[in-house]
């Protein structure tokens, strides 16, 4: 019942499989001594690179190399985290930075590993594909001389004559999906059927590996044509799909302005739904809906909605709803009552109840430039420490407090260009904890004088804002298609058995005896049962 | 109403744990029983011999070990009791998960507690289902012990009240992605258990003193390796699907299909380790103990991904609810 040992009757059929890469347990063991020519070394190196062992080591190395990127924050996914990490670890961070740990997945070493792996993969797949094409056209291998050394060896007596027995065996095997060939042994003509099936297994394996290459190439190249842009939009306002309109923009390597299809999106209304009944989760967001009006060239405006998990498809892009918050509208007047500033300012949410930080800059129109650092509480309550906090994300008791600063905001020299930050180092606080005048406190519609006779400020309205991510990624569909091939190839290659089966007629004491045996190629737990079933079916056919 | 159902759910889970504890003891007693000298049983595994080259799984017959025709009447009784207890506990366990889902009005795998609850139920489910294909009851102590531990930690450390789903989780992909991931985890767990046994058997085979007599009654190392391989490749297919489904979902919820978020990184690492395992089994010099070690490391990474990564790493997948 054991597998054939190779020294005795090593026929083609039972020989190791030459289509397997070097180092595969089923491949012939070759000892390659490099010839001392440069070409010889090159060839030796190539064979090493495309061997099973190298593929395995590179795979494990890839797993190992991916780990650092999960331990320290990454520039790509968490830029603020990187800044914090560097501040917290002043000695370690520069070393990690040098090693590329903050950009693990774009680092030289990580790239080197996966590029080598994929070169190895290509070097492995190409010859295997060629072998497989040949195998698909080749005839099933010659019947081994002694079947009893193969797997699942079994015999059945029969009363049929040789030609009928062979013919029926062949017909049966063919209906079972085997490719068949009739062979003769030294003493009898046409006394055995050789059959092979499961070529799809190797096909699946090749499809799987090729699809992996496909994913890498489409991600690497296709991704370069894409772009992503982020934009905060306040209710009642709109933005265009143009470079100038985005708050931040990340073009791919091959991006050109032509890739931006012109359209505009206006945020009409943003509607959150908060949990009200489940006492464990009062105030937890359960739904967000952005009602928008989209306008595309040559088309009538359209009303649509964008939700988390259901982006809007428009102009070759997808528009995602990622964040939201409040954008209090402040109206600043000079001492004569002329409006010098009136617009909403998006405030950055700090917690689930949307306590937010607002930065307002009024560079023009007053006697001095003023900057304001605000804290906004949609549902303000007094804390035990005497401060304010928000205890619900909706507008139940909105309060905006403002620290006011005067001085040079630095907008002209670009220092103060980050809209969400106010550098107070060179500014003078005129209202707030550090100054004589207390911080300004505004409810909806409240109007208060600014200190030092600067003018007045009014909280005119509290609209919401939504932040949108706009993505254009031409590789996405292709990646998905290759992913489907990956799964299909994998399933085919893992679960379709590839096997060879032989039936041989020998003359026994009382007539013809049919011998059956099989050989598995790859993981094939069902082989023995399959051989027995073939034998049984044939003897039943003969009786019927 | 929600709270009442949630407390019934917890009650069911605690009862299940008590019964799993009983099953665990019984499974262990069974292993101890196997440690008693049992010359009659020897030879069972030699029926199934694998050729030197026959790496390509040649499991010729169903494993003959533990045939019910056992001459020791006391023997399999522990095992039968253990299995019966496991089934009872599992029914309670599944009811606990279902009740939790009903209480929340959604699938019961949206935070760490719920995920542990459901994933462990699936692990036991896979363990029970696999018995129809192959007698792997000898893994019972390992599996029930693991699940008991996981449930205990979840109920005491991860428990959170039922809360509604945040918008990003409201997706059909939550159902598919997480469920398939749990299925994959179940198969990887069995694979790891088989690989541990395989390593023990292999050590014993080379004459290292492994004083675990029950090993006599288990299949030989190469058979265990073949079993492990077949269980793991099923897990691997599920894991591949999980990875892809996760990417599709991420594309919907976060606007990109892949962003090297910590959870994505670890899912990828696990996938790569098991791809390595499959290659190792196909590589001369790596079959056997080395590939078994990879399978165990891989399952270790699965557990790590779920516990340490969820609790201590920063990322978009911050759904532990803790
Ligand atoms: C990106 C790198 C690679 C990955 C992720 C990968 C993954 C896989 C997976 C999942 C399988 C099992 C499923 C199947 O049989 O289709 C497999 C099998 C296989 N791979 Fe790869 N592979 C990679 C690179 C390579 C390379 C470089 C080689 C060539 C040396 C190779 C040769 C093989 C062979 C021969 C099998 C069949 C194993 C057997 O006979 O059981 N693979 N690979």
């Amino acid at each position: 019942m054991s597998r054939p040992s190779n020294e005795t009757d090593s026929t083609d059929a039972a020989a190791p499989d030459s289509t397997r890469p070097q180092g595969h347990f089923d491949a012939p063991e070759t000892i390659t001594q490099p010839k001392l020519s440069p070409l010889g070394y090159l060839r030796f190196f190539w064979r090493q690179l495309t061997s099973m062992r190298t593929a395995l080591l590179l795979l494990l190395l890839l797993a190992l190399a991916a780990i650092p990127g999960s331990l320290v924050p990454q520039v790509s996914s968490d830029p603020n985290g990187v800044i914090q990490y560097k501040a917290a670890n002043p000695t370690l961070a520069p070393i990690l930075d040098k090693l590329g740990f903050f950009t693990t997945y774009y680092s030289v070493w990580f790239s080197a590993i996966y590029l080598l792996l994929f070169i190895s993969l290509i070097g492995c797949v190409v010859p295997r594909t060629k072998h497989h094409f040949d195998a698909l056209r080749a005839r099933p291998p010659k019947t081994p001389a002694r079947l009893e050394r193969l797997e699942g060896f079994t015999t059945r007596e029969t009363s049929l004559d040789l030609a009928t027995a062979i013919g029926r065996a062949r017909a049966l095997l063919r209906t079972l999906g085997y490719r068949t060939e009739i062979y003769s042994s030294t003493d009898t003509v046409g006394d055995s059927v050789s059959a092979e099936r499961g070529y799809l297994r190797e096909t699946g394996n090749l499809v799987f590996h090729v699809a992996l290459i496909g994913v890498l190439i489409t991600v690497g190249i296709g991704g370069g044509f894409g772009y992503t842009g982020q934009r905060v939009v306040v209710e009642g306002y709109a933005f265009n799909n143009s470079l100038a309109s985005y708050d931040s923009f990340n073009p791919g390597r091959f991006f050109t302005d032509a890739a931006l299809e012109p359209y505009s999106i206006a945020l009409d209304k943003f509607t959150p739904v908060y949990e009200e009944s489940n006492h464990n989760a009062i105030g937890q967001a359960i739904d967000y809906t952005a009602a928008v009006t989209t306008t595309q060239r040559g088309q009538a405006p359209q009303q649509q909605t964008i939700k988390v998990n259901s982006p809007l498809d428009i102009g070759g892009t997808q528009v995602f709803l990622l964040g939201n918050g409040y954008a209090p509208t402040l109206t600043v007047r000079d001492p004569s009552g002329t409006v010098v500033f009136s617009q909403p300012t998006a405030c950055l949410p700090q917690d689930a109840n949307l306590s937010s930080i607002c930065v307002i800059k009024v560079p023009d129109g007053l006697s001095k430039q003023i900057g304001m650092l605000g804290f906004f509480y949609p549902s303000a309550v007094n804390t035990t420490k005497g401060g304010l906090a928000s205890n619900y994300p909706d507008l139940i008791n909105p309060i905006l407090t403002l620290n006011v600063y005067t001085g040079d905001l630095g907008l002209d020299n670009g220092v103060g260009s980050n809209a969400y930050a106010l550098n107070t180092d060179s500014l003078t606080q005129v209202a707030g904890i550090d100054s004589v005048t207390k911080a300004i406190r505004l409810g909806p519609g409240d109007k208060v004088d600014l200190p030092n006779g600067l003018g007045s400020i009014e909280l005119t309205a509290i609209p919401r804002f939504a932040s949108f991510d706009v993505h254009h990624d031409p590789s996405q569909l292709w990646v998905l298609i290759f992913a489907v091939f990956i799964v299909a190839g994998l399933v085919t290659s893992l679960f379709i058995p590839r096997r060879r089966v032989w039936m041989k007629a020998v003359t026994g004491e009382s007539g013809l005896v049919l011998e059956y045996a099989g050989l598995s190629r790859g993981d094939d737990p069902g082989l023995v049962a399959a051989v027995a079933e073939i034998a049984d079916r044939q003897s039943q056919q003969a009786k019927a | 109403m929600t709270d009442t159902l949630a407390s019934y759910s917890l009650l069911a889970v605690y009862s299940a744990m008590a019964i799993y504890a009983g099953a665990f003891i019984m499974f262990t007693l069974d292993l101890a029983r196997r440690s008693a000298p049992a010359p009659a049983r020897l030879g069972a595994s030699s029926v199934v011999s694998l050729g030197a080259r026959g790496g390509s799984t040649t499991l010729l017959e169903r494993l003959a070990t533990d045939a019910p025709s056992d001459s020791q009447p006391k023997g399999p009784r522990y095992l039968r009791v253990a299995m019966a207890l496991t089934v009872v506990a599992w029914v309670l366990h599944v009811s606990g998960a279902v009740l939790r889902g009903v209480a929340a009005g959604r699938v019961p795998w949206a935070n760490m507690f719920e995920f542990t609850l459901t994933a462990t139920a699936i692990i036991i489910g896979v363990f029970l289902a696999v018995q129809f294909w192959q007698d792997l009851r000898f893994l019972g102590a390992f599996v029930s012990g693991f699940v008991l531990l996981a449930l205990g930690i979840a109920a005491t450390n991860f428990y959170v009240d039922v809360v509604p789903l945040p918008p990003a989780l409201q997706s059909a992909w939550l159902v598919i992605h997480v469920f398939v991931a749990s299925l994959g985890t179940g198969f990887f767990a069995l694979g790891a258990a088989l690989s541990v046994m395989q390593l023990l058997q292999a050590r014993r085979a080379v004459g290292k003193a492994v004083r675990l007599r029950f090993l006599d009654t288990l299949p030989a190392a190469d058979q265990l390796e073949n079993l492990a391989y077949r269980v793991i490749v099923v897990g691997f297919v599920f894991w591949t699907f999980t990875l892809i489904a996760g990417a599709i979902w991420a594309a919907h919820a976060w606007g990109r299909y892949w962003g090297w978020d910590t959870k994505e990184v670890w899912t990828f690492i696990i996938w790569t380790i098991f791809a390595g395992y499959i290659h190792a089994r196909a590589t001369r010099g790596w079959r056997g103990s080395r590939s078994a070690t990879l399978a165990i490391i891989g399952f270790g990474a699965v557990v790590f991904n779920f516990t340490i990564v969820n609790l201590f790493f920063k990322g978009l997948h911050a759904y532990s609810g803790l």
Side-chain angles (χ1 to χ4, degrees), chain A residues 20-21 24-25 50-52 55 59 117-118 120-121 124 128 204-205 208-209 212 489-490 493-494, chain B residues 229 236 271 275 278-279 282:
Chain A
R20 301 297 168 94
H24 192 284
F25 77 95
T50 58
S51 75
M52 269 317 258
L59 266 172
L117 179 57
F118 275 86
S120 161
L121 181 55
C124 173
R128 277 173 65 199
N205 184 296
F208 168 83
H209 285 89
L212 282 179
L490 189 63
S493 128
L494 289 176
Chain B
Y229 175 76
F236 185 75
W271 190 80
I278 291 173
H279 281 97

Side-chain angles (χ1 to χ4, degrees), chain A residues 3 6 23-27 53 56 59 70 78 105 151 275 278-280 284 286 309 320 471 473 522-523 528, chain B residues 3 53-54 56-58 60 161-162 164 168 170 249 251 255 257 265-266 272 276 279 282 284 286-287 313-314:
Chain A
R3 298 282 305 271
N6 287 326
H24 192 284
F25 77 95
D26 242 2
R53 204 162 284 128
L56 169 58
L59 266 172
S70 71
D78 185 13
Y105 308 104
E151 281 166 58
E275 177 65 44
N278 181 337
H279 64 224
N280 294 319
Q284 188 191 310
I286 45 184
N309 264 319
F320 297 90
H471 289 226
D473 185 354
D523 189 70
V528 174
Chain B
D3 285 349
R53 228 194 98 235
S56 329
T57 312
T58 328
L60 298 186
D161 290 317
V162 172
Q170 293 167 20
W249 186 12
Y257 54 83
V265 171
W266 276 94
T272 313
H279 281 97
R284 200 177 290 134
W286 274 80
R287 293 173 73 87
F313 287 30
K314 208 175 139 190

Side-chain angles (χ1 to χ4, degrees), chain A residues 462-535:
Chain A
I462 311 174
R464 291 173 185 269
F465 75 83
S467 62
F468 293 113
D469 253 41
V470 178
H471 289 226
H472 171 65
D473 185 354
S475 72
Q476 214 168 29
L477 178 68
W478 285 102
V479 173
L480 182 65
I481 291 172
F482 282 121
V484 171
F485 276 112
I486 284 178
V487 175
L490 189 63
V491 171
T492 315
S493 128
L494 289 176
F495 301 117
I496 289 193
R498 177 147 190 207
R499 51 176 71 133
R500 289 173 178 167
V501 170
W502 292 276
M503 196 283 278
K504 188 171 180 179
V506 293
T507 320
E509 281 153 20
S510 56
L512 222 44
V513 175
L514 303 180
E515 295 182 349
Y516 300 82
L519 180 71
S520 70
R521 309 185 65 202
D523 189 70
D524 184 3
L527 177 65
V528 174
V531 174
E533 194 195 324
I534 290 166

